[in-house]
Amino acid sequence: MTIQLDPAGAAGAVMPPETEDITVVVATRNRRDRLRETLPRHAAPVILVDNGSDDGGPDEAPGVDIVRLGENLGAAGRNVGVERARTPYVAFADDDSYWEPGSLATAAKLLDAYPGTALVSARVLVGADGREDPISAAMAAAPLGVPGDAPGPAILGFLACAVVVRRDAYLAAGGFHPMLHVYGEEALLAMDLAAAGHRLAYTPQLTVRHLPLPSGRDPGARRRIEVRNRVLTALLRRPPAVVRRTTAQAWRVDRGGVADAVRLLPRALGQRRALPQDVERDLVSLGC
């Protein structure tokens, strides 16, 4: 599937910014063709973080600041982009996603209006037909309620390609943890932002379009990484009983993933810290 672009988009330049307060940070690896379609859709300055692409890397484009890392840092590559940004808010996108018109300006207004909120998560529409991602429906159900001092239902999870964050709060929380690399990296950051006293909110008035390509990747390899990261996240923040339960469940899903987590056990234990009781209680109520 190819997205139809305006003539200006075909040249690779991003659209005029909707707000002066948001930078879009895009992480990419070996997706130069898809970037030619999605980058022109961002109505904001773009910092494009190339995670060591070996296909020649992304094209130069007006309005796009390209950071070529030379290695694959996974999700932590986004941290480099956030550090480089100079706006108070940063929106994330993947190379196969973009923010619908008006969403970035609205996000900036929401974060201005709710200073205790560090992250707003958009509604995600998947594919050319724009079907709603099930994760969006789960967030809209508001199992944690709708606090009066937040712009929408409270959440403790998100899709990285569909959030706008308060830059200072993100950096203070440490951003995406490099140990997790990719797949399921959002859970730990959500915990850390909440532990720092920030609100995270689902805001369906914001919309992200996600246009995933057929992965062509080994689903078994992805499952193994997801299992490893689930165990590592528990080791880093959750009580011993939760760690034991998570590890037992993970063992039944992918023993290799558990073994990979065990190899990182000394590092994880060295960075372990308990969550505040209210955050742990909310996680339990979500069945996590």
Side-chain angles (χ1 to χ4, degrees), residues 143-145 154-156 191 194-195 199 237-239 242 245 274-288:
L144 295 178
I155 56 175
L156 270 175
M191 293 177 198
R199 295 287 193 192
R237 298 290 182 268
R238 306 296 302 277
V242 176
R245 184 183 72 237
L275 295 170
Q277 289 185 355
D278 59 331
V279 178
E280 180 60 33
R281 184 173 59 248
D282 284 346
L283 286 167
V284 171
S285 73
L286 291 171
C288 297

Side-chain angles (χ1 to χ4, degrees), residues 7 14 44 49 73 76 78 94-95 103 107 115 162 217 221 226-227 233 259 269:
V14 297
V49 181
L73 299 183
R78 298 187 186 107
D94 288 341
D95 42 30
S103 291
R217 297 170 181 166
E226 288 174 338
V227 164
T233 298
L269 292 178

Side-chain angles (χ1 to χ4, degrees), residues 21-288:
D21 291 334
I22 291 182
T23 301
V24 176
V25 170
V26 182
T28 186
R29 177 174 166 80
N30 295 337
R31 291 276 183 84
R32 61 187 306 174
D33 290 339
R34 180 42 60 96
L35 283 168
R36 290 167 182 158
E37 300 171 345
T38 56
L39 276 184
R41 298 284 184 146
H42 297 303
V46 173
I47 297 176
L48 178 60
V49 181
D50 179 33
N51 263 321
S53 292
D54 52 23
D55 64 352
D59 304 320
E60 300 288 337
V64 179
D65 178 11
I66 302 178
V67 182
R68 303 183 190 272
L69 295 181
E71 60 179 319
N72 186 3
L73 299 183
R78 298 187 186 107
N79 300 346
V80 178
V82 177
E83 289 169 355
R84 196 175 181 93
R86 291 296 175 263
T87 50
Y89 312 130
V90 174
F92 291 125
D94 288 341
D95 42 30
D96 58 1
S97 72
Y98 65 89
W99 290 80
E100 282 206 338
S103 291
L104 295 176
T106 300
K109 291 176 182 176
L110 290 173
L111 289 167
D112 284 346
Y114 293 91
T117 297
L119 179 149
V120 289
S121 180
R123 180 174 180 239
V124 179
L125 302 180
V126 182
D129 57 349
R131 64 189 182 278
E132 185 178 69
D133 192 300
I135 292 176
S136 296
M139 291 181 181
L144 295 178
V146 184
D149 59 348
I155 56 175
L156 270 175
F158 56 88
L159 291 176
C161 71
V163 296
V164 181
V165 298
R166 199 175 294 275
R167 179 179 178 272
D168 289 349
Y170 175 93
L171 292 175
F176 289 104
H177 200 297
M179 192 187 306
L180 302 180
H181 201 68
V182 292
Y183 303 142
E185 71 274 10
E186 298 96 339
L188 182 62
L189 177 57
M191 293 177 198
D192 287 347
L193 286 170
H198 301 294
R199 295 287 193 192
L200 293 75
Y202 175 59
T203 49
Q205 57 267 59
L206 314 178
T207 303
V208 163
R209 297 298 301 268
H210 186 204
L211 305 165
L213 292 165
S215 68
R217 297 170 181 166
D218 179 359
R222 174 166 182 158
R223 182 180 63 245
R224 179 169 180 158
I225 296 171
E226 288 174 338
V227 164
R228 181 201 68 173
N229 285 349
R230 200 174 308 137
V231 174
L232 285 173
T233 298
L235 282 166
L236 285 163
R237 298 290 182 268
R238 306 296 302 277
V242 176
V243 174
R244 290 192 294 269
R245 184 183 72 237
T246 301
T247 304
Q249 293 170 342
W251 183 258
R252 293 192 290 270
V253 175
D254 193 298
R255 295 182 180 185
V258 175
D260 293 342
V262 169
R263 279 190 281 272
L264 292 168
L265 184 62
R267 286 178 58 191
L269 292 178
Q271 299 175 47
R272 178 175 168 78
R273 63 177 185 266
L275 295 170
Q277 289 185 355
D278 59 331
V279 178
E280 180 60 33
R281 184 173 59 248
D282 284 346
L283 286 167
V284 171
S285 73
L286 291 171
C288 297

